[in-house]
Amino acid sequence: MSRVRLVSPELISKEEENFNRTLRPPSLGEYIGQKAAVEKLSIALQAAKKRGEPLEHTLLYGPPGLGKTTLAYIIANAMGSKITTTSGPALERTGDLMGILTNLAEGDILFIDEVHRLPVNIEEFLYPAMEDFKVDFVVDKGMFAKTINVPLKKFTLVGATTRAGSLSAPLRNRFGLFFHLQFYSAEELRKILLRSAEILKAQLEAGAAEEIARRARGTPRIANRLLRRVRDYAEVKADGKLGVEIACRALELEGVDEHGLDELDLKFLTTIIRYYQGGPVGVEALSATLNEEVDTLVDMVEPYLLQIGFISRTKSGRRANEAAYKHLQMPLPASGAAAATLFD
């Protein structure tokens, strides 16, 4: 069973997905952050609408929880089109995809999340659909097999991935638009939290929004999740008023510190410093010491610690940086080996 963490950028339940849907901005005008991507996407949408054509096939890539699905729905709203959603792992047979493609109307959006996880047979089936808006469907088997050429309506495929490098070159080359989503600033997250609080009719003070934003690891999904926990705490302990002190108490209770680190993050850092003298140490050794899967450490722990400069990845392993020692209030080694920065 995988570990469920409050500060995980992944969706942790179907209920959370439904909740997030109520907070999604319906248009680019209400979308906060990702200025470069939003500006380029706005131009592409306006140009496509002026020509009366569907938007080019679009790839959205970046870490989880940054708004790729939200942008797909905004694209559909902007084009006045219906959106059909699925995911790479959910498409196992060409017949599954055939049913979806033949039901798309002119200008519709097909959104495929985790597009890098498409099976090879499905990916190859998509190529002519994306390029020529037609598919070759094989019916029967053996000597009775025959290929039927099925024309499709012109549609837009919007793919989302957290691992753009894992896409095959033929699939990647069939996208016309590429948008990289990056981590949000604390100020952008503060604005998102205030907007979410307004929708939820929560009494969120500006200072409390700043406190939550600072611990949200640059990710709107985490920010909204922390807001829910703070709102629950405030309703029970403070008559629903979400002030700074209440936010700090609620997040402390949830085990999220002032940098947005939780128990697993702190154990990871402490292990490098106490057991391996600050590193370098291989991730396999850390996995064995912490009794955690390597994938959990690489995908769920390291990215944020690297982002804030608490650790460095070197050829010989992971190393704790000076910022980590200061945060944990631990003395630097006499050799100063751990006083590394992101620029060494």
Side-chain angles (χ1 to χ4, degrees):
M1 182 177 177
S2 61
R3 174 191 284 266
V4 177
R5 302 171 69 208
L6 192 64
V7 292
S8 169
E10 306 284 352
L11 282 168
I12 58 177
S13 69
K14 186 71 176 175
E15 190 271 336
E16 181 181 55
E17 184 178 0
N18 295 333
F19 172 79
N20 288 343
R21 195 172 292 128
T22 66
L23 301 178
R24 283 180 186 148
S27 67
L28 285 178
E30 292 183 51
Y31 191 92
I32 297 167
Q34 309 297 342
K35 287 184 180 179
V38 166
E39 186 176 0
K40 289 188 286 185
L41 179 57
S42 177
I43 291 170
L45 286 168
Q46 290 178 55
K49 289 174 74 175
K50 274 189 175 182
R51 292 192 299 266
E53 298 174 356
L55 185 70
E56 293 180 74
H57 301 307
T58 302
L59 182 67
L60 306 171
Y61 63 101
L66 298 188
K68 295 184 288 295
T69 302
T70 297
L71 280 177
Y73 277 87
I74 286 175
I75 289 170
N77 288 341
M79 297 300 293
S81 304
K82 176 188 165 191
I83 183 169
T84 300
T85 65
T86 185
S87 68
L91 296 170
E92 297 179 349
R93 300 177 303 157
T94 54
D96 299 333
L97 184 56
M98 183 71 175
I100 292 173
L101 291 173
T102 52
N103 280 310
L104 295 175
E106 189 81 16
D108 276 0
I109 308 295
L110 172 58
F111 176 59
I112 303 181
D113 198 10
E114 297 184 272
V115 69
H116 63 279
R117 294 179 61 189
L118 281 171
V120 174
N121 62 318
I122 299 295
E123 188 178 308
E124 292 175 348
F125 190 74
L126 260 179
Y127 295 161
M130 293 176 72
E131 275 193 321
D132 306 315
F133 300 104
K134 65 179 183 181
V135 287
D136 294 325
F137 193 67
V138 180
V139 294
D140 290 331
K141 293 181 179 179
M143 62 182 295
F144 300 104
K146 56 183 176 180
T147 302
I148 301 175
N149 187 270
V150 182
L152 303 171
K153 302 285 177 59
K154 289 188 176 181
F155 68 96
T156 298
L157 174 63
V158 178
T161 178
T162 56
R163 298 184 177 183
S166 297
L167 258 64
S168 68
L171 179 59
R172 188 167 55 247
N173 293 340
R174 282 169 171 80
F175 287 99
L177 298 171
F178 301 83
F179 299 106
H180 180 211
L181 303 193
Q182 305 192 38
F183 288 108
Y184 287 64
S185 68
E187 175 58 21
E188 289 169 339
L189 290 175
R190 185 187 70 82
K191 292 177 181 177
I192 289 171
L193 285 163
L194 290 172
R195 178 186 177 276
S196 297
E198 188 176 344
I199 294 170
L200 297 171
K201 295 180 170 53
Q203 303 174 52
L204 180 64
E205 294 180 3
E210 289 176 15
E211 194 63 44
I212 298 170
R214 201 153 52 89
R215 306 181 190 218
R217 302 166 79 110
T219 306
R221 180 179 290 158
I222 296 174
N224 285 325
R225 189 184 298 149
L226 296 181
L227 175 62
R228 293 179 72 190
R229 298 285 72 79
V230 172
R231 182 185 63 166
D232 290 349
Y233 185 90
E235 286 177 355
V236 175
K237 300 285 188 179
D239 299 324
K241 294 179 181 178
L242 282 66
V244 177
E245 188 178 346
I246 290 298
C248 289
R249 278 194 217 158
L251 295 172
E252 185 180 346
L253 182 66
E254 295 289 349
V256 180
D257 75 8
E258 61 269 26
H259 278 284
L261 306 186
D262 69 355
E263 181 187 5
L264 183 55
D265 297 312
L266 296 172
K267 280 172 63 180
F268 182 88
L269 292 172
T270 304
T271 299
I272 294 177
I273 293 170
R274 285 188 176 160
Y275 288 84
Y276 298 99
Q277 292 74 51
V281 54
V283 70
E284 292 82 7
L286 287 170
S287 170
T289 306
L290 291 167
N291 195 27
E292 294 285 350
E293 296 289 335
V294 170
D295 288 348
T296 299
L297 301 182
V298 171
D299 295 334
M300 296 177 63
V301 178
E302 289 188 348
Y304 182 63
L305 296 178
L306 286 164
Q307 180 199 342
I308 62 175
F310 276 25
I311 63 170
S312 295
R313 270 185 191 157
T314 67
K315 290 180 180 179
S316 48
R318 279 62 175 169
R319 184 170 60 188
N321 291 339
E322 184 177 352
Y325 283 83
K326 287 182 177 177
H327 182 64
L328 296 173
Q329 298 181 340
M330 292 182 172
L332 283 165
S335 64
T341 70
L342 288 176
F343 307 102
D344 63 357

